[in-house]
Amino acid sequence: MTFGGLIVLAFNAILIQNVILNQFLGTCPFLGVSGKRQSAVGMGFAVIVVITLSSLVSWGLYYAILKPLGMTYMSTLVYILVIAALVQIIEMFLKKVIPSLYRALGIYLPLITTNCAVLGTAKTVIARKFNFLETLVYSFSIAVGFLFVIYIFSTLRSKIARGDIPKAFQGIPIALITAGILAMIFAKFGQLII
Amino acid sequence: MNKSIFKYALLLVAICAISGLLLAGVNMITAPIIGSRNQINEKLEQYYPYAYYKQADDGSNEVAENAIQAYYYAFDENKNLAAVIYQTSFLGFKSQIVALISIKVDGTVENAKMIGGKDDYSLSDHDFEIAGESVDSYDYTPKSGATKTSGGVGAGIDAAINHFKSIKDSLGGVSYEG
Amino acid sequence: MKDNSKLLNFTKGLWKENPILVTMLGLCPTLAITYKVENALGMGLAVLFVLVMSNLIISLIRHIVPDEIRIPIFIVVIATFVSIVEMVMEAFVPDLFERMSLFISLIVVNCIILGRAEAFASKHNWLDSILDALGMALGFTLVLIVISLIREVLGTGSITIWGNLAINFNKNNSPFFSNFFVSPPAAFIILGLILAGSKAINAAKAAREVKSK
């Protein structure tokens, strides 16, 4: 893939096939932590690290071990173990080396194991037969798209929370409807001609 | 402390091993079924540059002789329909000749390839000389020395082009999803 | 009394603790695949199998699993059954699998499954755990079916299940049916409205109970 192709891939991954609004991955943490701007940003950055690393490691394991041995049926199991182990290692690393960052991101790290955007991206880079460079660009861009949307959304939600909302709509329901309107805006990016 | 970590690791490895065995067992049952269907997909991916393929489901799934066995829609990376690829089976010299015939949506023939058959002469590595011809007026040159085998492919080309003409007007409604 | 509690283990998943409507777990597949009723049925069955099997196994091994590493072990058990579902679906319902293969794999990280393992199966016997799993999975499937009915009917004007059962509601091309409803934004909005609806019903119920007391 050319350099231009990689740019298009990144642009697509961030805006058009946005991980939350178009692919519906990572909706749980999206709705869970987007109430506060600070936690949304913390979660977003932790997700960037985990998605990029876990996709690269899963990609490597798939082409180095699983595929040559004809054990691709183990891939789901292997990926989720990679993700769980990676999250654990990052947590221990941060705790020892950069305690200030650990305090900022620490509580979001365990949640990331069950963030389906992580496993979803690891599966996607294999399904779309990406090479190493494409995997790097794609997984990083997907995670940036996650941070981007979760940040926008947290600012929207802090405004909405101050509004006068019918009781039944408070919390998740109004958040989902807001996300729907945001998704409509993002769907329009798909009509940009590159 | 260290002892318990060792014990935990052993337990995890044991559970992974059990599940690995279980999965290998299920895989032994399902892999042949998946494999037999993917064979044609592998051929398509080997011979053609398109990003996605979908088998057209026109209700008749029986494997017929001297007919079109199946046809596939090929899509580009943006999931726009790019070509229709036919799998045909017609009698050649000694055996049924299975061929893939690809026709682009604009009505030009992309190529024709022999992918199966037990004739002495195999055309599988050669493009049948029909690339670029229009479906409205086409002509192909049989390989000299293998006229009957070529005839198996040629009959496939005729059948594919006839069928393509009959569905040409409805191709606009074909999409990858759904 | 005892039989009653068994029944309760099953029925609580259908409405009172419905995984989507009340605990709001597993929203990713709920949003992603409900553009077709067929998908909802497939996903429901897949979740039913994985949830019942993982609840059963986890309940059976709950005494030998050390507390510190229970989560990784649960994940391995769940991933095993998800992989089995993936292989079986790829072999026998290839079209359906192709459409939702990503979301079938993602059952591994579906909070409903891990949530039931952690909150229920690791503390109860195998029979209760199976009943709990059946109830939760059916509750999940029912909501998926309701959402996908709304989306497929409004989006395409018809319902098609495995090509055989097809009903067409839109014989005169009414503009009322719009493919907006099968698009991603509509998924969010319809789920939001349904959650608001269920919240309103529960609130009204609670108010009535307070009154009658």
Side-chain angles (χ1 to χ4, degrees):
Chain A
M1 202 178 259
T2 59
F3 183 69
L6 288 176
I7 302 262
V8 173
L9 182 71
F11 184 79
N12 263 324
I14 295 175
L15 293 178
I16 299 172
Q17 300 157 356
N18 184 278
V19 64
I20 299 172
L21 297 177
N22 185 275
Q23 300 186 35
F24 304 108
L25 298 176
T27 323
C28 295
F30 172 62
L31 294 170
V33 305
S34 63
K36 281 207 187 91
R37 194 182 311 180
Q38 212 173 359
S39 47
V41 172
M43 181 68 157
F45 277 108
V47 162
I48 291 185
V49 176
V50 176
I51 285 194
T52 313
L53 283 179
S54 66
S55 298
L56 288 174
V57 173
S58 307
W59 183 90
L61 283 176
Y62 181 85
Y63 286 107
I65 299 174
L66 293 175
K67 208 174 172 211
L69 291 181
M71 287 172 40
T72 50
Y73 57 84
M74 293 278 282
S75 55
T76 304
L77 186 62
V78 170
Y79 298 166
I80 190 70
L81 287 176
V82 164
I83 293 164
L86 209 61
V87 168
Q88 195 69 49
I89 291 168
I90 293 173
E91 200 179 339
M92 291 191 301
F93 174 81
L94 285 184
K95 206 173 186 175
K96 269 227 170 88
V97 184
I98 328 173
S100 58
L101 192 60
Y102 174 77
R103 277 195 297 278
L105 298 185
I107 49 165
Y108 309 113
L109 280 167
L111 281 175
I112 293 178
T113 310
T114 54
N115 180 342
C116 47
V118 184
L119 183 60
T121 308
K123 281 251 155 189
T124 308
V125 297
I126 303 296
R128 289 177 62 176
K129 302 195 177 76
F130 283 151
N131 63 29
F132 184 80
L133 195 60
E134 286 162 356
T135 302
L136 178 65
V137 171
Y138 179 81
S139 56
F140 182 74
S141 310
I142 279 289
V144 169
F146 182 86
L147 172 64
F148 183 47
V149 169
I150 205 170
Y151 176 73
I152 295 180
F153 199 62
S154 67
T155 59
L156 283 175
R157 273 184 87 173
S158 62
K159 279 250 159 43
I160 290 168
R162 274 180 257 138
D164 183 21
I165 295 160
K167 214 165 184 188
F169 279 91
Q170 277 170 13
I172 304 274
I174 191 72
L176 278 167
I177 291 169
T178 316
I181 295 166
L182 202 56
M184 278 190 232
I185 300 168
F186 271 69
K188 284 288 166 202
F189 284 123
Q191 292 169 2
L192 291 175
I193 295 158
I194 310 162
Chain B
M1 182 61 195
N2 273 333
K3 210 176 160 191
S4 67
I5 285 182
F6 182 72
K7 210 178 81 185
Y8 294 161
L10 209 66
L11 190 65
L12 260 179
V13 169
I15 287 189
C16 285
I18 295 170
S19 81
L21 284 177
L22 198 64
L23 290 183
V26 177
N27 185 57
M28 270 197 316
I29 303 166
T30 57
I33 304 172
I34 298 166
S36 67
R37 193 173 38 244
N38 283 349
Q39 224 170 12
I40 185 71
N41 280 348
E42 273 167 26
K43 282 257 160 57
L44 289 173
E45 272 173 23
Q46 183 186 340
Y47 289 136
Y48 297 102
Y50 302 108
Y52 305 97
Y53 299 95
K54 190 175 109 176
Q55 183 169 0
D57 187 18
D58 57 355
S60 60
N61 279 331
E62 80 238 74
V63 178
E65 294 200 331
N66 296 327
I68 295 167
Q69 291 183 316
Y71 63 104
Y72 302 86
Y73 298 122
F75 301 86
D76 64 13
E77 279 173 0
N78 302 319
K79 298 188 176 168
N80 295 320
L81 185 65
V84 183
I85 300 173
Y86 291 87
Q87 184 189 347
T88 63
S89 170
F90 284 92
L91 188 63
F93 177 50
K94 282 180 191 166
S95 64
Q96 290 294 124
I97 304 297
V98 181
L100 288 178
I101 290 125
S102 167
I103 304 174
K104 291 188 183 166
V105 276
D106 62 5
T108 55
V109 181
E110 188 177 12
N111 54 29
K113 300 195 185 251
M114 173 175 157
I115 59 166
K118 292 193 184 70
D119 282 17
D120 303 333
Y121 193 96
S122 171
L123 294 164
S124 57
D125 295 324
H126 304 279
D127 277 1
F128 210 76
E129 288 175 25
I130 188 160
E133 302 264 344
S134 160
V135 289
D136 297 316
S137 63
Y138 64 96
D139 190 24
Y140 51 84
T141 324
K143 280 269 182 283
S144 57
T147 330
K148 284 230 167 128
T149 310
S150 297
V153 182
I157 294 176
D158 295 337
I161 286 177
N162 276 333
H163 186 272
F164 180 80
K165 283 181 185 164
S166 74
I167 61 164
K168 199 178 170 190
D169 294 333
S170 60
L171 287 179
V174 174
S175 69
Y176 183 67
E177 271 94 15
Chain C
M1 185 61 212
K2 196 151 185 292
D3 284 324
N4 197 11
S5 79
K6 285 247 183 307
L7 192 67
L8 202 66
N9 279 334
F10 174 68
T11 52
K12 70 180 190 300
L14 298 180
W15 176 262
K16 228 175 121 200
E17 291 179 30
N18 186 292
I20 298 178
L21 298 179
V22 180
T23 44
M24 298 187 192
L25 295 173
L27 297 186
C28 297
T30 313
L31 291 162
I33 54 98
T34 49
Y35 59 91
K36 254 174 136 8
V37 177
E38 201 177 289
N39 292 356
L41 290 171
M43 177 57 80
L45 267 179
V47 166
L48 182 82
F49 173 78
V50 174
L51 191 49
V52 168
M53 292 307 287
S54 68
N55 254 14
L56 170 66
I57 298 294
I58 286 166
S59 165
L60 289 176
I61 63 173
R62 71 186 189 276
H63 295 303
I64 58 166
V65 170
D67 220 31
E68 290 85 349
I69 55 160
R70 66 182 194 287
I71 299 291
I73 287 181
F74 293 169
I75 289 179
V76 171
V77 171
I78 294 166
T80 307
F81 289 113
V82 171
S83 303
I84 291 176
V85 169
E86 280 182 281
M87 287 188 276
V88 170
M89 284 186 75
E90 192 177 359
F92 297 106
V93 278
D95 293 343
L96 193 63
F97 179 75
E98 205 182 315
R99 261 207 312 274
M100 358 187 259
S101 64
L102 183 61
F103 286 92
I104 296 291
S105 332
L106 292 180
I107 297 176
V108 178
V109 284
N110 189 324
C111 317
I112 298 174
I113 320 264
L114 197 61
R116 289 332 286 171
E118 169 77 1
F120 198 92
S122 61
K123 299 186 183 81
H124 292 80
N125 70 33
W126 65 272
L127 187 62
D128 286 341
S129 298
I130 287 184
L131 287 173
D132 174 74
L134 281 173
M136 287 292 161
L138 281 178
F140 177 70
T141 312
L142 283 177
V143 178
L144 285 190
I145 290 174
V146 168
I147 298 174
S148 60
L149 268 176
I150 296 173
R151 288 182 71 190
E152 193 175 355
V153 170
L154 293 183
T156 65
S158 61
I159 299 176
T160 314
I161 297 171
W162 284 291
N164 298 323
L165 176 71
I167 309 167
N168 191 354
F169 299 97
N170 188 16
K171 297 214 167 69
N172 10 331
N173 264 330
S174 144
F176 177 68
F177 299 102
S178 146
N179 58 11
F180 167 72
F181 290 103
V182 288
S183 73
F188 285 105
I189 292 172
I190 290 171
L191 183 61
L193 292 175
I194 287 180
L195 291 184
S198 85
K199 261 179 113 172
I201 293 173
N202 279 334
K205 243 188 183 168
R208 214 178 317 132
E209 268 163 32
V210 170
K211 237 185 210 170
S212 66
K213 269 175 195 167

